[in-house]
Amino acid sequence: MRMSVIGCGYLGAVHAAAMASIGHEVIGIDTDPTKIAALAAGRAPFFEPGLDELLASSVASGRLTFSADIADAGGAQVHFLAVGTPQQPDSSAADLRFVHAALDALLPHLQPGDVVAGKSTVPVGTAAVVAGRVAETGATLVWNPEFLREGWAVHDTLRPDRLVVGAAADADGARATDMLREAYADAIASGSPFLATDLATAELVKGAANAFLATKISFINAMAEIAEASGADVTLLADAIGHDERIGRRFLGAGIGFGGGCLPKDIRAFAARAEELGRGASVGFLREVDAINLRRREHAVRLVVDALGGSVVGRRITMLGAAFKPHSDDVRDSPALDVAMRLRGLGAKVTVTDPEAIPNAKRLHPQLKYKRDRDEAIRKAEALVLVTEWDLYRRELTPAHAASLTPGRIVVDGRNCLDPAAWRAEGWTYLGMGRP
């Protein structure tokens, strides 16, 4: 099948490469010529495990090409809209300018029978607004939300845990849904469930999924606050309640909270849309979910300050991590960098290390000091703060080795991923999040 992918950022580049790798003929379209040049050479403009290899092989096969000219999307049977929907600068709502601009550019090149598949995360009701414009060309709009995890995006695209396609309940919608079944035939044959829904439900799925995930993370962080006040251990608490099959242990890891370019802005946009629909009370809890998440960053700062005697002015602190999560170079709304900047604002001499995210972090916060080499970053630090749970820090850095690099003996575990007993046995003052 011939496809176009409009927007070759994180979502679009992965989707285009994955679809080409399973045999489709794919053209990626983006307005950034630098990005297009890198992708056409088989190089991703961001770090995602396995993507460079997938891009290179797909480009070499001739099935994957890229262009800055939207006219080159003409002739594709399915057009995936994969542009960003950032938070509006003056509100919590999603900014849909890029969605509408991409659709405006694509409409003149659509042909009767084409399918436009929205993958961008949008407020419910967006599809109903634009479906008529697509229908005027003889094409059909469906909504096909993405559920990618950064660091696992290639796997999640090739072997998704579910495929959701929303379409109108008419013959055109049924035909378009069947075309998406054909597009994803490989994943379906491998066991990925295919759920056909109406447009509104498909739009709601992504927002609802992110709202639930954020709530689960903030719930255990709220329990961490209670554990800190009572002397309990939130990690053992999570183990105990996680054995309940109705709850499960995944994403019950207390720490400095979630970040990134999707989860925070998506739950805010979800709540904002609910308010527009007159149902703000239904998701009012998401405001507290957001607040709990942000409070954990300040708590990590307080742990460092208290451990250093009440002041960090002139004290050398090393942040282990810059990306918002491991296996990614994404620093958008990174809790790691937020904590680093707060400590710097209090007068600390902050050094940040990360195996992948330093270039992006430097662009965002050039005032911080960066060292890619972990050991050089640790040398002479008075306190270590683990903020991104890369294996380089959580598994490969032993407390004895860290002690050989610095006389400092304070470690703040912002992800509760270190062994407290092992670090304390080597003379370190270990401080976790919600742990005694």
Side-chain angles (χ1 to χ4, degrees):
M1 182 180 294
R2 178 166 169 77
M3 305 173 172
S4 77
V5 177
I6 315 301
C8 291
Y10 185 86
L11 165 61
V14 175
H15 192 71
M19 292 297 98
S21 75
I22 59 175
H24 297 297
E25 183 183 349
V26 183
I27 182 163
I29 306 292
D30 199 279
T31 57
D32 184 343
T34 302
K35 184 187 300 180
I36 289 296
L39 291 168
R43 300 189 311 274
F46 51 85
F47 176 72
E48 175 62 33
L51 181 56
D52 277 345
E53 295 84 355
L54 195 70
L55 273 170
S57 63
S58 295
V59 169
S61 73
R63 291 190 299 270
L64 178 60
T65 57
F66 293 93
S67 174
D69 187 352
I70 190 69
D72 290 336
Q77 299 164 271
V78 177
H79 305 269
F80 291 99
L81 287 181
V83 296
T85 53
Q87 185 175 329
Q88 291 183 18
D90 56 350
S91 79
S92 296
D95 187 342
L96 299 181
R97 287 178 298 167
F98 300 111
V99 171
H100 291 300
L103 191 61
D104 288 344
L106 179 63
L107 286 174
H109 308 289
L110 293 177
Q111 299 174 7
D114 285 358
V115 173
V116 177
K119 295 199 71 67
S120 304
T121 302
V122 297
V124 62
T126 303
V129 172
V130 302
R133 298 180 63 205
V134 173
E136 289 174 0
T137 70
T140 303
L141 178 75
V142 300
W143 217 264
N144 172 218
E146 56 85 12
F147 304 101
L148 305 187
R149 299 167 296 167
E150 291 196 35
W152 297 91
V154 171
H155 172 273
D156 291 349
T157 304
L158 292 172
R159 295 292 179 266
D161 56 14
R162 78 281 209 194
L163 291 157
V164 177
V165 175
D170 55 24
D172 287 337
R175 181 188 59 80
T177 300
D178 285 343
M179 286 185 68
L180 267 292
R181 280 197 180 92
E182 182 183 348
Y184 292 121
D186 187 73
I188 294 169
S190 296
S192 296
F194 186 97
L195 289 80
T197 74
D198 55 87
L199 286 165
T201 300
E203 291 171 303
L204 274 175
V205 169
K206 179 62 183 295
N210 277 353
F212 189 91
L213 176 59
T215 301
K216 191 171 185 179
I217 296 169
S218 282
F219 169 81
I220 200 62
N221 278 327
M223 295 303 100
E225 293 180 346
I226 297 173
E228 286 152 5
S230 63
D233 188 325
V234 74
T235 302
L236 298 178
L237 174 68
D239 289 342
I241 65 176
H243 281 292
D244 188 325
E245 292 183 355
R246 297 167 301 174
I247 298 172
R249 183 61 174 83
R250 294 190 67 197
F251 297 100
L252 283 180
I256 59 171
F258 56 80
C262 293
L263 204 55
K265 63 99 175 172
D266 285 352
I267 65 169
R268 293 164 192 158
F270 194 71
R273 181 56 178 152
E275 290 170 357
E276 291 172 356
L277 293 169
R279 295 294 184 270
S282 300
V283 293
F285 67 93
L286 288 179
R287 302 297 185 193
E288 183 58 24
V289 165
D290 199 10
I292 291 168
N293 185 58
L294 295 176
R295 280 204 303 269
R296 301 313 289 163
R297 305 178 185 189
E298 181 57 34
H299 180 66
V301 172
R302 289 201 305 271
L303 286 178
V304 178
V305 172
D306 290 346
L308 288 171
S311 174
V312 294
V313 175
R315 310 298 290 272
R316 293 186 297 274
I317 300 170
T318 293
M319 312 297 298
L320 299 177
F324 87 96
K325 65 178 292 187
H327 311 296
S328 172
D329 63 353
D330 194 343
V331 297
R332 291 174 294 174
D333 198 9
S334 168
L337 289 180
D338 191 358
V339 172
M341 287 298 295
R342 291 179 191 225
L343 287 168
R344 185 183 183 277
L346 293 174
K349 297 178 179 178
V350 181
T351 298
V352 178
T353 186
D354 191 286
E356 296 293 341
I358 286 179
N360 288 340
K362 277 184 177 180
R363 283 190 286 271
L364 190 63
H365 295 298
Q367 59 272 64
L368 293 169
K369 183 178 180 180
Y370 297 93
K371 288 188 178 180
R372 182 179 175 86
D373 185 271
R374 180 199 67 189
D375 289 1
E376 284 301 310
I378 291 174
R379 206 172 302 278
K380 297 183 180 180
E382 297 175 77
L384 307 180
V385 189
L386 194 156
V387 278
T388 310
E389 60 271 41
W390 289 97
D391 282 348
L392 184 65
Y393 314 136
R394 65 181 297 188
R395 300 186 190 280
E396 298 171 20
L397 178 63
T398 66
H401 181 64
S404 73
L405 298 170
T406 176
R409 290 294 182 273
I410 295 169
V411 60
V412 174
D413 185 1
R415 295 297 182 181
N416 283 356
C417 60
L418 301 177
D419 181 347
W423 282 80
R424 287 171 178 148
E426 288 291 336
W428 289 82
T429 297
Y430 170 93
L431 299 168
M433 306 289 283
R435 308 178 86 172

